[in-house]
Amino acid sequence: MQFPEHIQFVEKDAKKYVFGGMEVHSTNTLRLISELESAYQMLKYLGFEEDMNTLEDMKNRYYKMYFKLAKQEKSMLD
């Protein structure tokens, strides 16, 4: 399929839209963290403390993963 040049960030590979289709690297992990942070803020404003705590645990796990991946990727560049 041909896409116009002016469209940015168009994903041309549909295989990535399946379970496990994206690579686990620091950039994608950071994107996930951003989404979790947004959901956390919305839950905070709505007053759903139990769900906030669940997301806090999830965020902590992915922050650890992000820093580990970022360190590994940086060492591969050196």
Side-chain angles (χ1 to χ4, degrees):
M1 179 179 287
Q2 199 69 349
F3 293 98
E5 289 296 320
H6 67 281
I7 296 178
Q8 295 182 5
F9 308 113
V10 172
E11 186 58 58
K12 297 175 186 175
D13 187 2
K15 293 182 289 189
K16 292 184 181 182
Y17 295 106
V18 297
F19 182 79
M22 293 181 82
E23 291 182 39
V24 178
H25 55 75
S26 63
T27 306
N28 285 336
T29 306
L30 203 54
R31 291 171 59 197
L32 174 59
I33 291 168
S34 176
E35 296 290 336
L36 291 172
E37 289 286 1
S38 296
Y40 179 88
Q41 289 301 315
M42 182 61 80
L43 291 170
K44 177 181 171 183
Y45 297 139
L46 292 171
F48 296 117
E49 186 173 6
E50 185 178 336
D51 293 330
M52 281 174 52
N53 295 335
T54 300
L55 278 185
E56 186 69 32
D57 293 339
M58 292 174 66
K59 289 188 320 179
N60 289 337
R61 183 175 10 150
Y62 290 112
Y63 270 112
K64 287 177 188 175
M65 180 187 293
Y66 166 74
F67 289 117
K68 181 180 176 182
L69 289 169
K71 184 177 180 180
Q72 289 173 349
E73 291 168 8
K74 185 176 187 276
S75 69
M76 292 174 72
L77 295 175
D78 294 338

